[in-house]
């Protein structure tokens, strides 16, 4: 599948006349929670040639999305869209640049982007995001049956939230890395390990009886996190100048030949 994904990315570059700056796995495969049935959720950032940016007309479509087929879900953001969202501390792109499943990586761009993480990281907004994801999954854990993956996704968001409160840092992507460092009761940690193993080695769609103990734990943590986020500092830095510089440097670096032609 990895070779197929890289081939698809090359086809995207040729079809849309762009360069892919980085492409990674997101979702369950990046989190270390993939089963045999899990999709490959490939996300990428791309850049157009110089002419696309030097136009009096407004920029056109800033996403590329392929139809989902054969367990492959692939889509990407144009670089200026990605950097605007990065400036807002968008959790999706923060996770993408931390993914260990990398298909394409423009070394200079990604290194510079990672150096700007602290300039864009806004604990309150990222924490709010993970709380909402946890609440969404928690809402599905009631009734006669609950999906195993919804428990894991609820707890992954809770652990990411607790990481932010505990360390004031961007949380890691991998579920087990979160489990290892976030303070949890050992019995709960073991139970989550068992749930993760059951998903990885079992059926992606597997259901289970709702667990009242786990549900109560999630409810209490969500109440505490919801109170905590309200007290957090809401101010933000403005890294726009640095991100503009990164965009311009990347445009020159990727499309050197275009710039040479313009200078002649």
């Amino acid at each position: 599948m990895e070779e197929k994904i890289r081939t698809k990315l090359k086809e995207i570059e040729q079809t849309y006349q762009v360069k892919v700056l980085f492409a990674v796995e997101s979702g369950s495969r990046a989190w270390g929670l993939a089963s045999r049935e899990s999709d490959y959720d490939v996300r990428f950032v791309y850049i157009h040639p110089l002419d696309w940016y030097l136009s009096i007309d407004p920029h056109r479509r800033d996403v590329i999305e392929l139809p989902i087929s054969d367990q492959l879900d692939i889509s990407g953001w144009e670089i200026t869209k990605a950097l605007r969202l990065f400036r807002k501390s968008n959790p999706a792109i923060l996770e993408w640049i931390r993914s260990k499943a990398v298909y394409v990586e423009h070394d200079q761009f990604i290194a510079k982007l990672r150096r700007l993480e602290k300039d864009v990281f806004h604990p309150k907004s990222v924490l709010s995001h993970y709380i909402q994801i946890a609440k969404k999954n928690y809402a599905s854990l009631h009734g006669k049956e609950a999906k195993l993956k919804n428990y894991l996704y609820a707890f992954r968001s809770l652990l990411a939230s607790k990481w932010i409160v505990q360390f004031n840092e961007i949380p890691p992507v991998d579920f087990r890395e979160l489990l290892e460092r976030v303070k949890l009761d050992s019995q709960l940690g073991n139970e989550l390990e068992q749930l993760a193993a059951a998903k990885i080695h079992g059926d992606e769609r597997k259901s289970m009886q709702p667990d009242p103990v786990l549900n109560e734990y999630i409810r209490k943590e969500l109440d505490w996190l919801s109170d905590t986020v309200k007290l957090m500092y809401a101010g933000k830095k403005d890294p726009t100048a640095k991100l503009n510089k990164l965009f311009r440097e990347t445009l020159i670096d990727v499309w050197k030949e275009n710039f040479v032609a313009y200078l002649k």
Side-chain angles (χ1 to χ4, degrees):
M1 181 60 86
E2 288 187 18
E3 189 58 38
K4 180 178 179 179
I5 290 169
R6 289 190 174 91
T7 299
K8 283 285 185 185
L9 292 167
K10 285 292 184 184
E11 290 174 1
I12 287 170
E13 289 187 325
Q14 293 170 5
T15 300
Y16 294 92
Q17 292 297 293
V18 299
K19 288 289 185 182
V20 173
L21 296 173
F22 74 89
V24 300
E25 270 296 327
S26 66
S28 61
R29 291 187 182 276
W31 303 339
L33 293 173
S35 67
R36 290 187 298 273
E37 292 81 19
S38 294
D39 287 344
Y40 288 80
D41 296 310
V42 181
R43 300 293 178 263
F44 63 96
V45 171
Y46 63 92
I47 190 167
H48 285 280
L50 178 62
D51 284 351
W52 195 86
Y53 299 100
L54 300 179
S55 169
I56 63 172
D57 292 317
H59 288 168
R60 290 140 284 177
R61 186 170 169 80
D62 56 7
V63 297
I64 295 174
E65 298 170 309
L66 299 189
I68 300 173
S69 64
D70 300 325
Q71 287 187 291
L72 181 56
D73 178 355
I74 181 166
S75 65
W77 291 342
E78 184 271 326
I79 183 174
T80 59
K81 175 187 177 73
L83 292 179
R84 287 194 301 272
L85 290 169
F86 185 66
R87 179 175 58 187
K88 294 180 179 180
S89 205
N90 178 271
I93 195 165
L94 291 176
E95 287 200 6
W96 296 357
I97 63 177
R98 276 176 151 62
S99 175
K100 296 176 182 176
V102 180
Y103 300 112
V104 173
E105 186 171 274
H106 186 280
D107 293 340
Q108 290 189 39
F109 171 74
I110 201 69
K112 290 176 181 178
L113 192 65
R114 286 173 179 150
R115 284 199 292 270
L116 292 173
E117 283 181 340
K118 291 183 179 179
D119 292 283
V120 303
F121 177 51
H122 186 243
K124 184 167 187 170
S125 61
V126 180
L127 177 57
S128 297
H129 166 81
Y130 283 117
I131 290 172
Q132 291 306 312
I133 297 296
K135 284 181 177 179
K136 181 180 178 181
N137 282 284
Y138 174 64
S140 69
L141 301 178
H142 308 280
K144 293 183 180 180
E145 289 188 336
K147 287 189 176 179
L148 173 60
K149 70 177 184 179
N150 290 122
Y151 267 109
L152 288 168
Y153 295 172
F155 269 99
R156 180 183 177 274
S157 295
L158 281 183
L159 291 172
S161 298
K162 288 167 74 68
W163 182 287
I164 293 168
V165 174
Q166 187 173 338
F167 302 112
N168 196 39
E169 294 175 352
I170 301 170
V173 174
D174 187 76
F175 181 73
R176 283 184 174 79
E177 190 174 347
L178 288 166
L179 265 183
E180 286 173 5
R181 288 198 57 195
V182 173
K183 294 177 182 176
L184 286 179
D185 175 85
S186 60
Q187 183 175 346
L188 175 59
N190 291 335
E191 189 165 354
L192 292 177
E193 285 278 11
Q194 291 172 13
L195 289 177
K199 180 183 184 299
I200 293 168
H201 301 296
D203 187 340
E204 173 77 10
R205 297 157 294 182
K206 185 177 180 181
S207 295
M208 58 184 282
Q209 291 292 320
D211 187 320
V213 176
L214 292 180
N215 283 8
E216 180 62 9
Y217 179 88
I218 296 172
R219 185 193 66 77
K220 287 182 177 179
E221 289 295 294
L222 283 173
D223 286 346
W224 171 70
L225 288 165
S226 296
D227 289 338
T228 300
V229 75
K230 293 175 185 176
L231 302 174
M232 294 180 75
Y233 176 61
K236 295 183 180 181
K237 301 175 184 177
D238 184 5
T240 301
K242 293 179 180 179
L243 294 172
N244 280 334
K245 183 173 183 286
L246 172 58
F247 164 62
R248 292 164 187 151
E249 289 175 346
T250 305
L251 187 62
I252 293 169
D253 186 48
V254 172
W255 301 107
K256 292 186 182 75
E257 293 181 4
N258 297 51
F259 277 87
V260 171
Y262 269 96
L263 293 172
K264 287 183 177 179

